Amino acid sequence: MNADPDCIFCRIVAGEIPSFKLLENDRVLSFMDINPANEGHCLVIPKTHVPNLFEADDESLAAVATACRRVADAVRRTLDPPGISIAQANGPAAGQSVLHLHFHVIPRRADDDLLFNWELQPGDLDAIGRLAERIRANLE
Ligand code: 5GP
Ligand code: ZN
């Protein structure tokens, strides 16, 4: 498993930085985004450090895709949003700020005006932690 000591997501995988974890297995970690674009925004990452989609091995990608669906389904059961976007950026020009491959799972409403390169706004950590518990309880 590759790890980059300067990568914030590798440090979350290693447990050096706390996170509200939703799901974890050999290849994948999912946790709440602390700057939620919408309530219930969470992330799914391969544990191994790869910067983007193009560097990922097929097994990691398959595991991440499966986890994305499980997490999105749990978010759906928890918050019942009208829609859910799965978003993924490759390169800073595409809005990628953390250079460790990740997929955003974002609950959506038709009128939320969310644009691709949304601005990061810190969320309420207590509320995010409580929501993580509810989503975990809905994982199947
Ligand atoms: P990107 O902008 O690269 O597509 O997405 C990176 C995401 O990582 C952002 O939504 C940002 O809020 C999230 N993020 C950055 N640092 C941390 C952190 O320390 N913990 C968590 N949980 N999320 C983070
Ligand atoms: Zn990393």
Side-chain angles (χ1 to χ4, degrees):
M1 182 115 53
N2 280 340
D4 175 347
D6 297 325
C7 169
I8 196 151
F9 286 176
C10 284
R11 298 187 64 202
I12 286 175
V13 169
E16 293 166 15
I17 294 178
S19 66
F20 297 110
K21 290 184 186 175
L22 297 172
L23 171 159
E24 181 167 17
N25 61 36
D26 287 355
R27 292 185 189 275
V28 178
L29 179 66
S30 173
F31 52 96
M32 301 303 288
D33 196 305
I34 55 169
N35 307 292
N38 279 334
E39 186 191 27
H41 181 175
C42 41
L43 299 168
V44 182
I45 68 169
K47 284 184 166 176
T48 194
H49 180 88
V50 283
N52 56 43
L53 194 59
F54 311 110
E55 312 274 338
D57 63 90
D58 289 353
E59 290 75 20
S60 294
L61 261 190
V64 166
T66 299
C68 274
R69 183 171 62 181
R70 278 186 70 202
V71 168
D73 206 23
V75 167
R76 193 171 58 82
R77 276 194 291 273
T78 306
L79 293 171
D80 194 24
I84 295 183
S85 289
I86 309 288
Q88 188 271 321
N90 296 284
Q96 186 179 14
S97 58
V98 177
L99 299 181
H100 179 132
L101 174 63
H102 52 279
F103 288 74
H104 297 265
V105 176
I106 309 176
R108 299 297 310 276
R109 300 183 312 273
D111 62 351
D112 64 14
D113 289 332
L114 192 60
L115 302 173
F116 252 117
N117 291 4
W118 61 86
E119 235 176 80
L120 298 190
Q121 308 265 13
D124 173 341
L125 290 184
D126 289 338
I128 292 172
R130 284 195 298 275
L131 185 52
E133 250 176 60
R134 291 172 56 206
I135 296 172
R136 269 196 304 272
N138 276 320
L139 277 173
E140 286 187 344

